[in-house]
Structure formats: structure tokens, C-alpha cells
Amino acid sequence: MRRVLAGLLVAAVGVAWYAYPAAEPPTPVAHVVVGDKGDELASTSFDGPMVRRRAAIAIHPAPGADRAGIATELRALAAESKLGSLTEASFAVFSADMLEYLVPEMTFVLDEDVRVYDAEALMRDHQPASVAFYLVEPVLVHDLTFCVVPADGVTPEQVSQRQDAEGVLSDSLNRYVTDVQPDGVTVRYFGAVLGDAQIAAVRESMARAAGVPSDRVHVTANLPGPGVDLSHGVPDISEEPHGGH
């Protein structure tokens, strides 16, 4: 019954079971990808629908610029240009090579169907005056959800409180969204690709909070489609980075 409830809980938030219907994913040889800190390599076997290719914009604001104002202006420009939404993310989504050149103070990731060319055109033609410099680059991101149904006697509210108090999710994920539901808790993560060790740490923390084994914390993709297959290593997503003052 608990397994059935877990499936219903995931369905309730629009998370589909694509490549990994079981608690544990397949275990091929770990694949090397850019790490979540932007300065080291991590390995992940949570690929396929969980890993997506996106265009990302690195922003260096002018001195004294209003960052909230920049975000508002760029989102309005993206909507006006029919480029969808902009999602804030950590600078760690960018390649290590780019981060040697520029560590952005603001990072925005565009929707999946937006080309790097379109993102570059947006910035080239409408660069806000408060943006001193920008760079556009294709990136790989993790877009996934952790889901747990707690043990009898543990409420979803207690799970959320316990995992927040422990702090492992904050340390491992940085940015995430927790959703407390009648039957359990989901944690949605969007950002730099996570290593298997980080994902394991999150599952173990949520499991402790819920009073269940870590294999009862499911990891699912948030979007349909194949995503990025890392079974043969990291594909070449490189395009010549573009920038402007």
C-alpha cells in the first residue's frame, strides 16, 4: 500500500515515472560530468530524463545595480520575445572552463526549447543598462524530484521540519522546493548536475526524517522525453560561448 501511495503522491505533483520506476536506478559505470561546485568533477548515474540540456545566461551586474530589477526586466523581455520563462540557478551550472573566465553573480536558465542563439539574441538586442557583462552557454542541468511517504506515526509536516533542521538538503542542493502533501513530501531540484554521493545524501536525510529506509526515497524525472543519455559519457554540447558588454 505504501508503494501505491508513493506512486499516487508523485502523480499528484505531475512527476512521471520514466526511466526509474524502482527505488534504485540502474548502476552503470559512473559518468563524469561537471560537478555541482563548478570547480570539480562529479559522477552521476541519474541521467536520461533527469538530465536536460538548456541555454543559460551568466550576468555580471554593473556596480550598484538592482539585481531584482535586472531579473524583472529580463523576465519581461523573455516573455515579450516569446522565449518562455527564466529560472534562477547557481553559477555551478556553467562549465569549469567558463568559470575560469567569469564567475557570474546572477544565472538564468531558459526553457528547454530555447536555443543558445535565441538567448544570445535576447541579450544582444535588449541588454539591460544595469548589466555590465553577460555570457550565454549551453549547460546540462538536473531536473528531478525526491519523493518519500513517511512511516506510520510520522506526519509529512514532521518530515519537512526534521530534514530542514538537519540541513543536509540545504548543503547538498542549495536551491530546492519542498512540497508537503497529505501522504508525503516531495523535494524538487533544478540546477547543476548532482553527483551520486549528493543524491545518496539527500535520500538518506529524507529517509531519516521519514523513519524509512533510504531506498523508499524515490528519485524521478520532472519532464517527459529522453533527456541526456550519459551511458556513453558526456555528449558534446559545446557551442562557441557568446558575450557582450
Side-chain angles (χ1 to χ4, degrees):
M1 178 61 70
R2 286 282 179 175
R3 188 173 297 275
V4 172
L5 287 175
L8 293 175
L9 174 61
V10 172
V13 292
V15 178
W17 299 90
Y18 294 110
Y20 311 113
E24 296 291 343
T27 55
V29 176
H31 315 299
V32 177
V33 296
V34 174
D36 76 299
K37 303 299 183 184
D39 58 0
E40 59 186 16
L41 295 178
S43 61
T44 185
S45 51
F46 292 80
D47 61 344
M50 300 185 193
V51 176
R52 320 300 294 197
R53 182 187 183 279
R54 299 288 188 96
I57 304 171
I59 298 290
H60 184 68
D66 177 6
R67 297 190 183 191
I70 291 174
T72 298
E73 185 173 354
L74 286 178
R75 287 193 171 97
L77 288 169
E80 183 180 337
S81 301
K82 302 188 185 307
L83 295 183
S85 59
L86 297 179
T87 302
E88 291 190 52
S90 163
F91 68 84
V93 299
F94 292 105
S95 68
D97 288 342
M98 198 213 81
L99 292 175
E100 289 183 2
Y101 171 67
L102 170 71
V103 177
E105 296 181 41
M106 302 177 69
T107 298
F108 295 97
V109 180
L110 289 90
D111 292 343
E112 189 160 75
D113 58 350
V114 177
R115 301 175 299 171
V116 171
Y117 173 85
D118 296 324
E120 164 61 23
L122 172 72
M123 296 302 299
R124 182 190 65 234
D125 297 339
H126 306 288
Q127 180 178 347
S130 52
V131 171
F133 188 81
Y134 71 87
L135 264 170
V136 180
E137 186 180 71
V139 300
L140 292 180
V141 298
H142 249 150
D143 191 359
L144 50 82
T145 289
F146 300 87
C147 169
V148 66
V149 175
D152 291 338
V154 180
T155 68
E157 291 78 11
Q158 288 175 319
V159 174
S160 179
Q161 292 167 2
R162 290 173 181 177
Q163 67 190 25
D164 287 348
E166 189 177 67
V168 171
L169 271 64
S170 179
D171 290 342
S172 298
L173 304 180
N174 189 18
R175 295 171 181 265
Y176 60 95
V177 177
T178 301
D179 188 10
V180 177
Q181 301 176 53
D183 292 324
V185 174
T186 62
V187 172
R188 178 167 182 171
Y189 170 79
F190 178 91
V193 173
L194 301 169
D196 283 348
Q198 290 170 285
I199 290 179
V202 171
R203 296 177 75 189
E204 290 165 3
S205 176
M206 293 181 67
R208 284 191 295 272
V212 298
S214 60
D215 63 4
R216 293 272 293 276
V217 179
H218 301 271
V219 186
T220 66
N222 290 327
L223 294 174
V228 178
D229 179 9
L230 299 176
S231 61
H232 302 291
V234 180
D236 182 10
I237 65 165
S238 63
E239 295 180 21
E240 193 66 27
H242 303 281
H245 294 280

